[in-house]
Amino acid sequence: QVQVVESGGGSVQSGGSLRLSCAASGDGYSRFRRYCMGWFRHYPGKEREAVASVDSDSRAAYAESVSGRFTISQDTAKNTAHLEMSSLKPDDTAMYYCAVKGSNSNCLVPWTYHYWGQGTQVTVSS
Protein backbone atom coordinates (compact mmCIF):
# COMPACT_ATOMS: atom_id res chain seq x y z
CA GLN A 1 0.00 0.00 0.00
CA VAL A 2 1.05 3.55 -0.72
CA GLN A 3 -0.55 6.58 0.87
CA VAL A 4 -0.17 10.10 -0.43
CA VAL A 5 -1.27 13.11 1.59
CA GLU A 6 -1.13 16.72 0.48
CA SER A 7 -1.17 19.77 2.72
CA GLY A 8 -0.99 23.49 2.17
CA GLY A 9 -2.91 25.35 -0.44
CA GLY A 10 -5.53 27.98 0.19
CA SER A 11 -6.32 31.40 -1.15
CA VAL A 12 -3.92 34.16 -2.05
CA GLN A 13 -3.88 37.34 -4.09
CA SER A 14 -2.17 37.57 -7.45
CA GLY A 15 1.58 37.88 -7.01
CA GLY A 16 1.52 36.04 -3.71
CA SER A 17 3.10 32.78 -2.62
CA LEU A 18 1.96 29.45 -1.29
CA ARG A 19 3.65 26.24 -0.25
CA LEU A 20 2.29 22.77 -0.86
CA SER A 21 3.61 19.65 0.80
CA CYS A 22 3.24 16.00 -0.09
CA ALA A 23 3.96 13.08 2.20
CA ALA A 24 4.23 9.51 0.95
CA SER A 25 4.06 6.49 3.21
CA GLY A 26 3.29 2.80 3.35
CA ASP A 27 5.03 -0.50 2.85
CA GLY A 28 4.75 -0.18 -0.89
CA TYR A 29 6.49 3.17 -0.98
CA SER A 30 9.32 1.99 1.26
CA ARG A 31 10.07 -0.72 -1.31
CA PHE A 32 10.49 1.73 -4.18
CA ARG A 33 14.11 1.69 -5.32
CA ARG A 34 13.42 4.53 -7.70
CA TYR A 35 10.53 6.96 -7.65
CA CYS A 36 8.95 10.10 -8.92
CA MET A 37 6.94 12.49 -6.79
CA GLY A 38 4.89 14.77 -8.96
CA TRP A 39 2.53 17.69 -8.61
CA PHE A 40 -0.33 18.02 -11.05
CA ARG A 41 -3.28 20.33 -11.34
CA HIS A 42 -6.75 19.95 -12.63
CA TYR A 43 -8.96 22.60 -14.14
CA PRO A 44 -12.68 21.78 -14.41
CA GLY A 45 -13.43 20.23 -17.77
CA LYS A 46 -9.80 19.74 -18.68
CA GLU A 47 -7.23 16.98 -18.45
CA ARG A 48 -4.96 16.85 -15.45
CA GLU A 49 -1.71 18.64 -16.28
CA ALA A 50 1.81 18.41 -14.93
CA VAL A 51 3.21 21.13 -12.69
CA ALA A 52 6.53 19.82 -11.34
CA SER A 53 8.26 16.63 -10.27
CA VAL A 54 11.27 15.39 -8.39
CA ASP A 55 12.77 11.93 -8.57
CA SER A 56 14.95 9.57 -6.60
CA ASP A 57 18.04 11.09 -8.24
CA SER A 58 16.87 14.55 -7.07
CA ARG A 59 16.20 15.67 -10.61
CA ALA A 60 13.53 18.33 -10.79
CA ALA A 61 11.35 19.02 -13.79
CA TYR A 62 8.81 21.76 -14.43
CA ALA A 63 6.01 22.56 -16.77
CA GLU A 64 6.82 25.54 -18.93
CA SER A 65 3.91 27.47 -17.45
CA VAL A 66 5.43 27.44 -13.95
CA SER A 67 9.15 27.39 -14.69
CA GLY A 68 10.90 30.19 -12.85
CA ARG A 69 7.96 30.71 -10.49
CA PHE A 70 7.60 27.33 -8.77
CA THR A 71 10.30 25.32 -7.03
CA ILE A 72 10.03 21.68 -6.03
CA SER A 73 12.21 20.14 -3.34
CA GLN A 74 12.22 16.95 -1.32
CA ASP A 75 13.13 15.72 2.10
CA THR A 76 14.10 12.10 1.51
CA ALA A 77 14.33 11.34 5.23
CA LYS A 78 10.67 12.28 5.63
CA ASN A 79 9.46 11.02 2.24
CA THR A 80 8.06 14.43 1.51
CA ALA A 81 8.13 16.85 -1.40
CA HIS A 82 7.41 20.55 -1.22
CA LEU A 83 6.22 22.87 -3.93
CA GLU A 84 7.03 26.52 -3.37
CA MET A 85 4.79 28.63 -5.57
CA SER A 86 5.54 32.30 -6.07
CA SER A 87 4.35 35.05 -8.37
CA LEU A 88 1.02 33.29 -8.45
CA LYS A 89 -1.48 34.22 -11.12
CA PRO A 90 -5.25 33.72 -11.33
CA ASP A 91 -4.54 31.08 -14.02
CA ASP A 92 -2.83 29.00 -11.32
CA THR A 93 -6.20 28.54 -9.62
CA ALA A 94 -6.89 24.80 -9.68
CA MET A 95 -7.04 21.65 -7.61
CA TYR A 96 -3.48 20.46 -7.05
CA TYR A 97 -2.68 16.79 -6.65
CA CYS A 98 0.44 14.97 -5.54
CA ALA A 99 1.25 11.56 -6.96
CA VAL A 100 4.02 9.00 -6.58
CA LYS A 101 5.22 6.02 -8.56
CA GLY A 102 7.96 3.45 -8.35
CA SER A 103 10.03 4.52 -11.33
CA ASN A 104 11.97 7.67 -12.19
CA SER A 105 11.08 8.02 -15.83
CA ASN A 106 8.40 10.20 -17.42
CA CYS A 107 7.87 11.98 -14.13
CA LEU A 108 5.72 14.72 -15.69
CA VAL A 109 3.31 12.30 -17.34
CA PRO A 110 0.22 12.00 -15.12
CA TRP A 111 -1.23 8.80 -16.52
CA THR A 112 1.92 6.88 -15.55
CA TYR A 113 1.22 7.37 -11.85
CA HIS A 114 -0.65 4.86 -9.72
CA TYR A 115 -0.86 6.57 -6.34
CA TRP A 116 -2.61 9.88 -5.84
CA GLY A 117 -3.52 12.13 -2.97
CA GLN A 118 -6.93 13.68 -2.41
CA GLY A 119 -5.93 17.07 -3.75
CA THR A 120 -5.71 20.55 -2.28
CA GLN A 121 -7.31 23.67 -3.67
CA VAL A 122 -5.27 26.69 -4.68
CA THR A 123 -7.17 29.88 -5.43
CA VAL A 124 -5.48 33.03 -6.71
CA SER A 125 -7.56 36.17 -6.87
CA SER A 126 -6.79 39.14 -9.07
Side-chain angles (χ1 to χ4, degrees):
Q1 286 282 7
V2 178
Q3 291 80 44
V4 181
V5 178
E6 303 101 338
S7 60
S11 297
V12 67
Q13 289 192 324
S14 181
S17 300
L18 284 173
R19 186 192 201 213
L20 306 182
S21 295
C22 172
S25 62
D27 291 342
Y29 185 78
S30 65
R31 288 194 287 268
F32 288 169
R33 298 185 65 182
R34 295 182 177 84
Y35 63 82
C36 292
M37 295 185 81
W39 282 100
F40 302 88
R41 60 189 180 188
H42 185 224
Y43 299 99
K46 295 187 178 181
E47 295 288 327
R48 199 166 291 188
E49 68 176 39
V51 175
S53 67
V54 63
D55 71 8
S56 43
D57 291 329
S58 296
R59 296 176 298 188
Y62 298 92
E64 186 174 346
S65 60
V66 305
S67 183
R69 299 188 297 124
F70 292 11
T71 302
I72 190 169
S73 61
Q74 65 175 335
D75 181 340
T76 55
K78 296 181 179 179
N79 296 333
T80 59
H82 304 289
L83 185 68
E84 301 281 353
M85 305 184 295
S86 61
S87 301
L88 283 161
K89 307 173 183 179
D91 285 350
D92 295 316
T93 296
M95 184 68 81
Y96 284 69
Y97 295 88
C98 181
V100 300
K101 63 176 179 177
S103 74
N104 64 348
S105 62
N106 299 314
C107 292
L108 287 178
V109 181
W111 55 85
T112 65
Y113 284 78
H114 301 293
Y115 306 102
W116 291 83
Q118 295 295 315
T120 184
Q121 178 69 36
V122 171
T123 302
V124 184
S125 58
S126 58

